[in-house]
Amino acid sequence: MDHIITTEQLTKQYKNFTSVNHVSIHVRRGSIYALLGPNGAGKSTTMKMLLGLTAPTKGRFTIDGKQFPGDRLKILREIGSFIEAPSFYANLTGRENLDVIRRILGLGQNTVEDALELVGLSEFGDRLAKKYSLGMKQRLGLAGALLGRPPILILDEP
Ligand SMILES: Nc1ncnc2c1ncn2[C@@H]1O[C@H](COP(=O)(O)OP(=O)(O)OP(=O)(O)O)[C@@H](O)[C@H]1O
Ligand SMILES: [Mg+2]
């Protein structure tokens, strides 16, 4: 079976509290995989570990054949992500916010318009982020994740 994400006994411990307990998942390439569980179950923590935003206490994972932590930067190049409530520069427009991400990723200029269109925000690209409605901010977050159309998307509360 062709797995794009494999975790082995992934564990996150905060002092004496275990947030993620020996999680081994296998995500098939091209599939949609959902983490379901009650509040505090450890879904966000698991996704943060996959993105290198918090270090696993134990266990390991491989994404598209690349092993964490050695290949961390290569892994990040392949993932678009949206974790909880993404933050934006309030005094930049939606389009400018996406352009900041685009430059960091070294993507072509057309990727910003493509992402705006994909999430239905083309019409509001020139509005300041602080003037976006909640749903428009969520869309902008999705546009950021979709920038450059990465092969893997990790979305938390999108
Ligand atoms: N920085 C931290 N320090 C200590 N405990 C933490 C920390 N971050 C998360 N936790 C705890 O780890 C557990 C899992 O949190 P997590 O955010 O992963 O849950 P979740 O499944 O995403 O929940 P929700 O559905 O509410 O988003 C919770 O009990 C939380 O309080
Ligand atoms: Mg969560």
Coordinates of all heavy atoms in Angstrom, one line a residue, residues 24-81:
S24 N -0.2 5.6 15.9 CA 0.3 5.1 14.6 C -0.7 5.1 13.5 O -1.7 4.4 13.6 CB 0.8 3.6 14.8 OG 1.7 3.5 15.8
I25 N -0.6 6.0 12.6 CA -1.5 6.2 11.5 C -0.9 6.0 10.2 O 0.3 6.2 10.0 CB -2.3 7.5 11.6 CG1 -1.3 8.7 11.4 CG2 -3.1 7.7 12.8 CD1 -2.0 10.0 11.4
H26 N -1.7 5.5 9.2 CA -1.2 5.3 7.9 C -2.2 6.0 6.9 O -3.3 5.6 6.9 CB -1.2 3.8 7.6 CG -0.2 3.1 8.4 ND1 -0.6 2.7 9.7 CD2 1.1 2.7 8.3 CE1 0.5 2.1 10.3 NE2 1.5 2.1 9.4
V27 N -1.7 7.0 6.3 CA -2.6 7.8 5.4 C -2.2 7.5 3.9 O -1.1 7.6 3.5 CB -2.4 9.3 5.6 CG1 -3.3 10.1 4.6 CG2 -2.7 9.7 7.0
R28 N -3.2 7.0 3.2 CA -3.0 6.6 1.8 C -2.8 7.8 0.9 O -3.5 8.8 1.1 CB -4.1 5.7 1.3 CG -3.8 4.3 1.5 CD -4.8 3.5 0.7 NE -5.9 3.0 1.5 CZ -7.1 2.6 1.1 NH1 -7.3 2.6 -0.2 NH2 -7.9 2.1 1.9
R29 N -1.9 7.7 0.0 CA -1.7 8.8 -1.0 C -3.1 9.1 -1.7 O -3.7 8.1 -2.1 CB -0.7 8.4 -2.0 CG -0.2 9.5 -2.9 CD 0.9 8.9 -3.9 NE 2.1 8.4 -3.2 CZ 3.1 9.3 -2.9 NH1 3.1 10.5 -3.2 NH2 4.1 8.8 -2.2
G30 N -3.4 10.3 -1.9 CA -4.6 10.7 -2.7 C -5.9 10.6 -1.8 O -7.0 10.7 -2.4
S31 N -5.8 10.3 -0.6 CA -7.0 10.1 0.2 C -7.2 11.3 1.1 O -6.4 12.1 1.3 CB -6.9 8.8 1.1 OG -5.9 9.0 2.1
I32 N -8.5 11.3 1.7 CA -8.8 12.3 2.7 C -8.9 11.5 4.0 O -9.6 10.5 4.1 CB -10.2 13.0 2.4 CG1 -10.1 13.8 1.1 CG2 -10.6 13.8 3.6 CD1 -11.4 14.3 0.6
Y33 N -8.1 12.0 5.0 CA -8.0 11.2 6.3 C -8.4 12.2 7.4 O -7.9 13.3 7.5 CB -6.6 10.8 6.5 CG -6.3 9.8 7.6 CD1 -6.1 8.5 7.3 CD2 -6.3 10.3 8.9 CE1 -5.9 7.6 8.4 CE2 -6.1 9.4 9.9 CZ -5.9 8.0 9.7 OH -5.6 7.2 10.7
A34 N -9.4 11.8 8.1 CA -9.9 12.7 9.2 C -9.6 12.2 10.6 O -9.6 11.0 10.8 CB -11.5 12.8 9.1
L35 N -9.1 13.1 11.4 CA -8.9 12.8 12.8 C -10.2 13.2 13.6 O -10.5 14.4 13.6 CB -7.7 13.5 13.4 CG -6.3 13.2 12.8 CD1 -5.3 14.1 13.5 CD2 -6.0 11.7 13.1
L36 N -10.9 12.3 14.1 CA -12.1 12.6 14.9 C -11.9 12.3 16.3 O -11.3 11.3 16.7 CB -13.3 11.7 14.4 CG -13.6 11.8 12.9 CD1 -14.8 11.0 12.6 CD2 -13.8 13.2 12.4
G37 N -12.4 13.2 17.2 CA -12.3 12.9 18.6 C -12.8 14.1 19.4 O -12.9 15.2 18.8
P38 N -13.1 13.9 20.7 CA -13.6 15.0 21.5 C -12.6 16.1 21.7 O -11.4 15.9 21.4 CB -14.0 14.3 22.8 CG -13.3 13.1 22.8 CD -13.0 12.7 21.4
N39 N -13.0 17.2 22.2 CA -12.1 18.3 22.5 C -11.0 17.9 23.5 O -11.3 17.2 24.5 CB -12.9 19.5 23.2 CG -13.9 20.1 22.3 OD1 -15.1 20.4 22.7 ND2 -13.6 20.2 21.0
G40 N -9.8 18.2 23.2 CA -8.7 17.7 24.0 C -8.2 16.4 23.7 O -7.3 15.8 24.4
A41 N -8.7 15.7 22.6 CA -8.3 14.4 22.3 C -6.8 14.3 21.8 O -6.2 13.2 21.8 CB -9.2 13.8 21.3
G42 N -6.3 15.4 21.3 CA -4.9 15.4 20.8 C -4.8 15.6 19.3 O -3.7 15.4 18.7
K43 N -5.9 16.0 18.6 CA -5.9 16.1 17.2 C -4.9 17.2 16.7 O -4.1 17.0 15.9 CB -7.3 16.4 16.7 CG -8.4 15.4 17.1 CD -9.8 15.7 16.6 CE -10.3 17.0 17.2 NZ -10.6 17.0 18.7
S44 N -5.1 18.4 17.3 CA -4.2 19.5 16.9 C -2.8 19.2 17.2 O -1.9 19.5 16.4 CB -4.7 20.8 17.6 OG -6.0 21.2 17.2
T45 N -2.5 18.6 18.4 CA -1.2 18.3 18.8 C -0.5 17.4 17.8 O 0.6 17.5 17.4 CB -1.1 17.7 20.2 OG1 -1.8 18.6 21.1 CG2 0.3 17.5 20.7
T46 N -1.3 16.4 17.3 CA -0.8 15.4 16.3 C -0.4 16.2 15.0 O 0.7 16.0 14.5 CB -1.8 14.4 16.0 OG1 -2.2 13.7 17.2 CG2 -1.4 13.4 15.0
M47 N -1.3 17.1 14.6 CA -1.0 17.8 13.4 C 0.2 18.7 13.5 O 1.0 18.9 12.6 CB -2.3 18.6 12.9 CG -3.3 17.6 12.4 SD -4.8 18.5 11.7 CE -5.9 18.3 13.0
K48 N 0.3 19.4 14.7 CA 1.4 20.2 15.0 C 2.8 19.5 14.9 O 3.8 20.0 14.5 CB 1.3 21.0 16.3 CG 0.2 22.1 16.3 CD 0.0 22.7 17.6 CE -1.2 23.6 17.6 NZ -1.6 24.0 19.0
M49 N 2.7 18.2 15.4 CA 4.0 17.4 15.3 C 4.3 17.2 13.9 O 5.5 17.2 13.5 CB 3.8 16.1 16.1 CG 3.8 16.4 17.6 SD 4.0 14.9 18.6 CE 2.3 14.2 18.6
L50 N 3.3 16.9 13.1 CA 3.6 16.6 11.6 C 4.2 17.8 10.9 O 5.0 17.6 10.0 CB 2.3 16.1 10.9 CG 1.7 14.8 11.4 CD1 0.4 14.5 10.7 CD2 2.6 13.7 11.3
L51 N 3.9 19.0 11.4 CA 4.4 20.2 10.8 C 5.6 20.7 11.5 O 6.1 21.8 11.1 CB 3.3 21.3 10.8 CG 2.1 21.0 10.0 CD1 0.9 21.8 10.3 CD2 2.5 21.2 8.5
G52 N 6.1 20.0 12.4 CA 7.4 20.4 13.1 C 7.1 21.6 14.0 O 8.1 22.3 14.4
L53 N 5.9 21.9 14.4 CA 5.6 23.0 15.3 C 5.7 22.7 16.7 O 5.8 23.5 17.6 CB 4.1 23.5 15.0 CG 3.9 24.1 13.6 CD1 2.4 24.4 13.4 CD2 4.8 25.3 13.4
T54 N 5.7 21.4 17.1 CA 6.0 20.9 18.4 C 6.7 19.6 18.3 O 6.4 18.8 17.4 CB 4.7 20.9 19.3 OG1 5.1 20.6 20.6 CG2 3.7 19.8 18.8
A55 N 7.7 19.4 19.2 CA 8.5 18.2 19.0 C 7.8 17.0 19.7 O 7.3 17.1 20.8 CB 9.8 18.4 19.7
P56 N 7.8 15.8 19.0 CA 7.3 14.6 19.6 C 8.2 14.2 20.8 O 9.4 14.4 20.7 CB 7.4 13.5 18.5 CG 7.7 14.3 17.2 CD 8.3 15.6 17.6
T57 N 7.6 13.7 21.9 CA 8.4 13.2 23.0 C 9.0 11.8 22.6 O 10.1 11.5 23.0 CB 7.5 13.1 24.2 OG1 6.7 14.2 24.3 CG2 8.3 12.9 25.5
K58 N 8.1 11.0 21.9 CA 8.5 9.7 21.5 C 7.9 9.4 20.1 O 7.0 10.1 19.7 CB 8.0 8.6 22.4 CG 8.9 8.3 23.6 CD 8.4 7.0 24.3 CE 7.2 7.3 25.2 NZ 6.8 6.1 25.9
G59 N 8.4 8.4 19.4 CA 7.9 8.0 18.2 C 8.5 8.8 17.0 O 9.4 9.6 17.2
R60 N 8.0 8.4 15.8 CA 8.6 9.0 14.6 C 7.6 9.0 13.5 O 6.5 8.4 13.6 CB 9.8 8.3 14.1 CG 9.7 6.8 14.2 CD 11.0 6.2 14.5 NE 11.1 4.9 13.9 CZ 12.1 4.5 13.0 NH1 13.0 5.3 12.8 NH2 12.0 3.3 12.5
F61 N 7.9 9.7 12.5 CA 7.0 9.7 11.3 C 7.7 10.0 10.0 O 8.8 10.5 10.0 CB 5.8 10.7 11.5 CG 6.2 12.2 11.6 CD1 6.3 12.9 10.5 CD2 6.4 12.8 12.8 CE1 6.7 14.3 10.6 CE2 6.8 14.1 12.9 CZ 6.9 14.9 11.8
T62 N 7.0 9.5 8.9 CA 7.6 9.7 7.6 C 6.5 10.3 6.7 O 5.3 9.9 6.8 CB 7.9 8.3 7.0 OG1 8.8 7.7 7.9 CG2 8.6 8.4 5.7
I63 N 6.9 11.3 6.0 CA 5.9 11.9 5.0 C 6.5 11.9 3.6 O 7.6 12.4 3.4 CB 5.6 13.4 5.5 CG1 4.9 13.4 6.9 CG2 4.7 14.1 4.4 CD1 4.4 14.7 7.3
D64 N 5.8 11.2 2.8 CA 6.2 11.0 1.4 C 7.7 10.5 1.3 O 8.5 11.1 0.6 CB 6.1 12.3 0.6 CG 6.0 12.1 -0.9 OD1 5.8 10.9 -1.3 OD2 6.1 13.1 -1.7
G65 N 8.0 9.6 2.1 CA 9.3 8.9 2.1 C 10.4 9.7 2.9 O 11.5 9.3 2.9
K66 N 10.0 10.9 3.4 CA 11.0 11.7 4.1 C 10.8 11.6 5.6 O 9.7 11.6 6.1 CB 10.8 13.2 3.7 CG 11.1 13.3 2.2 CD 10.6 14.7 1.7 CE 10.8 14.7 0.2 NZ 9.7 14.0 -0.5
Q67 N 11.9 11.4 6.3 CA 11.8 11.1 7.7 C 12.0 12.3 8.6 O 12.9 13.1 8.3 CB 13.0 10.1 8.0 CG 13.1 9.6 9.5 CD 12.3 8.3 9.7 OE1 12.2 7.5 8.9 NE2 11.7 8.3 10.9
F68 N 11.2 12.5 9.6 CA 11.3 13.6 10.6 C 12.3 13.1 11.6 O 12.2 11.9 12.0 CB 10.0 13.9 11.2 CG 10.0 15.0 12.2 CD1 9.9 16.3 11.8 CD2 10.3 14.8 13.5 CE1 9.9 17.4 12.7 CE2 10.3 15.8 14.4 CZ 10.1 17.1 14.0
P69 N 13.2 13.9 12.2 CA 13.4 15.4 11.9 C 14.4 15.7 10.8 O 14.4 16.8 10.4 CB 13.9 15.9 13.3 CG 14.7 14.8 13.8 CD 14.0 13.5 13.3
G70 N 15.1 14.7 10.4 CA 16.2 15.0 9.4 C 15.7 15.7 8.2 O 16.4 16.7 7.7
D71 N 14.6 15.3 7.6 CA 14.1 15.9 6.4 C 13.0 17.0 6.6 O 12.2 17.2 5.8 CB 13.5 14.8 5.5 CG 14.5 13.8 5.0 OD1 15.7 14.2 4.8 OD2 14.2 12.6 4.9
R72 N 13.0 17.6 7.8 CA 12.0 18.5 8.2 C 11.7 19.6 7.1 O 10.5 19.8 6.8 CB 12.3 19.2 9.5 CG 11.3 20.2 9.9 CD 11.5 20.7 11.3 NE 10.6 21.7 11.6 CZ 10.8 23.0 11.5 NH1 12.0 23.4 11.2 NH2 9.9 23.9 11.8
L73 N 12.7 20.2 6.6 CA 12.5 21.3 5.6 C 11.9 20.7 4.3 O 11.0 21.4 3.7 CB 13.8 22.1 5.4 CG 14.2 22.9 6.6 CD1 15.5 23.6 6.3 CD2 13.1 23.8 7.1
K74 N 12.4 19.6 3.9 CA 11.8 19.0 2.7 C 10.3 18.6 2.9 O 9.5 18.8 2.0 CB 12.6 17.7 2.3 CG 13.9 17.9 1.6 CD 14.5 16.6 1.2 CE 16.0 16.8 0.9 NZ 16.7 15.5 1.0
I75 N 10.0 18.1 4.1 CA 8.6 17.8 4.4 C 7.8 19.0 4.3 O 6.7 19.0 3.7 CB 8.5 17.2 5.8 CG1 9.1 15.8 5.8 CG2 7.1 17.1 6.3 CD1 9.2 15.1 7.2
L76 N 8.2 20.2 4.9 CA 7.4 21.4 4.9 C 7.1 21.9 3.5 O 6.1 22.6 3.3 CB 8.1 22.4 5.7 CG 8.0 22.2 7.2 CD1 8.7 23.3 8.0 CD2 6.5 22.0 7.7
R77 N 8.0 21.7 2.6 CA 7.8 22.2 1.2 C 6.6 21.5 0.5 O 6.0 22.0 -0.4 CB 9.1 21.8 0.3 CG 10.3 22.6 0.7 CD 11.0 23.2 -0.6 NE 11.4 24.5 -0.3 CZ 10.8 25.6 -0.8 NH1 9.7 25.5 -1.5 NH2 11.2 26.8 -0.5
E78 N 6.3 20.3 1.0 CA 5.2 19.6 0.4 C 3.8 19.8 1.0 O 2.8 19.3 0.6 CB 5.5 18.1 0.4 CG 6.7 17.8 -0.4 CD 6.8 16.3 -0.6 OE1 5.8 15.5 -0.5 OE2 8.0 15.9 -0.9
I79 N 3.8 20.5 2.2 CA 2.6 20.6 2.9 C 2.0 22.0 3.0 O 2.8 22.9 3.3 CB 2.8 20.1 4.4 CG1 3.4 18.7 4.4 CG2 1.4 20.1 5.1 CD1 3.6 18.2 5.8
G80 N 0.7 22.1 2.7 CA 0.0 23.4 2.9 C -0.7 23.2 4.2 O -1.3 22.1 4.4
S81 N -0.8 24.1 5.1 CA -1.4 23.9 6.4 C -2.2 25.0 6.8 O -2.0 26.2 6.5 CB -0.4 23.5 7.4 OG 0.5 24.6 7.7

